[in-house]
Amino acid sequence: MVWDFVRLHWRDGIEILILAIAIYQIFRAFRATRGARILVGLVVILVAITLLLRLFEFAVISWLVTRAAILLVFAVPIIFQPELRNALAKLGSSRLFSFSNKSQLDFLEIFEDSVVALSKKRIGALFAIQRDIALKPYEETGVMLNADFSPELSMTVFFPKTPLHDGGMVISNKKVTAAACVFPVSQRELADRSIGLRHRAAIGVSEESDCVAIIVSEETGSISICMDGHLERNLGEEKFRSRMAEIFLATDNNHEKGVSKEPDPQDRVAAAGDRDLVSD
């Protein structure tokens, strides 16, 4: 009898599995975004209306809801445009840098030393390392440099009160393509409200692309890494170096981490006009 049931309904099981995977992937794509509340609200409203129509058999309202549902099909791509664009961009991306492993190792060592030096001097900095999705739209908001990356260059760019210190630096294929770039500030709701604008900008640019954003806090000197909108904060020197190796050198790179649960209370959003364009 069990075999007969399986033989007759195996397609149903596959359909349920496919639907479960699809729903879970949609949940992962929309969680912690502005679209999440809209999606939940739409689902609640549709379920409530469906139950009412089944219960009271309102013919006119049922006709209106049916026509409205057709319009909703066209409205959904507009409502969830940022989330859909981000998902499609990540779907079409491959992995990692295009330069050789030896060259990659040399660059990472220089870059890590630069970040650590900035951290020790408590010089605020924001880097976006390009991977497969081009960061040209953000480069165009800053000053084009096309220079080889070096510790001296990063220190000069981010030194307080210099013309290019305010904003982010874009790095592509070991080259500093632009500095003083404006990155999109993440609009999603974060559990930790002490996260400042510099960190929100890192989250924003990593949500819009597959880049790796590295932040140095101006107030505390702490180092943070952000990928795919997930922020890892307050990394020590050894942890920072190991995470960079895992991200750019490991063959299997599948990390999903949320915002640190132990926020630095000094990393807060400053009052408007009192701080730089991109604060900590």
Side-chain angles (χ1 to χ4, degrees):
M1 181 174 292
V2 175
W3 172 250
D4 292 337
F5 178 82
V6 172
R7 183 170 55 84
L8 292 173
H9 299 284
W10 65 272
R11 289 185 180 85
D12 298 333
I14 294 177
E15 285 183 328
I16 293 172
L17 180 62
I18 292 173
L19 286 173
I21 293 173
I23 291 171
Y24 175 68
Q25 292 300 326
I26 291 173
F27 166 75
R28 286 183 58 193
F30 282 89
R31 65 181 178 181
T33 65
R34 289 181 296 172
R37 288 190 175 184
I38 300 174
L39 185 62
V40 171
L42 287 174
V43 171
V44 170
I45 291 172
L46 288 175
V47 170
I49 291 176
T50 301
L51 291 176
L52 287 174
L53 293 178
R54 290 293 183 90
L55 181 62
F56 296 104
E57 298 182 354
F58 293 138
V60 176
I61 297 178
S62 179
W63 183 87
L64 290 173
V65 170
T66 302
R67 299 305 182 274
I70 297 175
L71 296 176
L72 189 62
V73 172
F74 297 97
V76 164
I78 299 174
I79 297 172
F80 301 110
Q81 183 264 343
E83 288 80 8
L84 292 173
R85 181 182 63 184
N86 188 33
L88 290 173
K90 290 178 180 178
L91 183 64
S93 66
S94 54
R95 302 299 300 173
L96 298 184
F97 287 113
S98 59
F99 45 89
S100 67
N101 194 51
K102 175 64 168 63
S103 180
Q104 190 170 319
L105 279 169
D106 293 341
F107 167 77
L108 285 179
E109 183 177 355
I110 295 172
F111 179 78
E112 290 163 3
D113 291 343
S114 302
V115 172
V116 171
L118 289 167
S119 172
K120 290 179 178 179
K121 293 180 180 295
R122 293 194 176 184
I123 297 177
L126 174 58
F127 302 91
I129 301 179
Q130 177 179 303
R131 293 201 279 181
D132 292 303
I133 299 177
L135 299 177
K136 190 167 183 60
Y138 310 119
E139 294 173 3
E140 294 173 347
T141 65
V143 177
M144 303 301 295
L145 296 179
N146 193 30
D148 291 329
F149 181 87
S150 67
E152 294 80 9
L153 178 60
S154 63
M155 190 73 68
T156 301
V157 167
F158 288 112
F159 195 82
K161 307 306 179 183
T162 57
L164 300 182
H165 87 286
D166 198 8
M169 176 184 288
V170 176
I171 300 174
S172 176
N173 292 330
K174 302 180 295 180
K175 292 279 190 179
V176 179
T177 56
C181 301
V182 179
F183 295 155
V185 177
S186 177
Q187 298 299 313
R188 77 183 190 189
E189 293 188 6
L190 301 176
D192 180 9
R193 295 187 177 275
S194 70
I195 293 178
L197 293 179
R198 183 176 277 120
H199 289 80
R200 282 186 175 272
I203 296 172
V205 73
S206 68
E207 287 175 335
E208 297 290 332
S209 69
D210 64 345
C211 76
V212 177
I214 294 90
I215 315 97
V216 179
S217 170
E218 182 178 349
E219 297 183 2
T220 66
S222 64
I223 302 171
S224 304
I225 295 177
C226 190
M227 289 192 307
D228 300 322
H230 301 290
L231 182 66
E232 300 175 59
R233 299 183 66 192
N234 303 325
L235 303 178
E237 179 179 345
E238 294 303 319
K239 180 63 176 177
F240 166 66
R241 293 181 186 273
S242 67
R243 286 293 291 123
M244 291 294 288
E246 289 171 8
I247 293 166
F248 292 109
L249 302 180
T251 55
D252 183 13
N253 195 18
N254 186 22
H255 295 277
E256 277 195 37
K257 291 182 181 281
V259 175
S260 173
K261 294 184 178 179
E262 296 182 5
D264 186 344
Q266 296 184 12
D267 257 315
R268 56 189 179 276
V269 180
D274 291 339
R275 295 295 303 275
D276 296 335
L277 176 64
V278 182
S279 69
D280 287 338

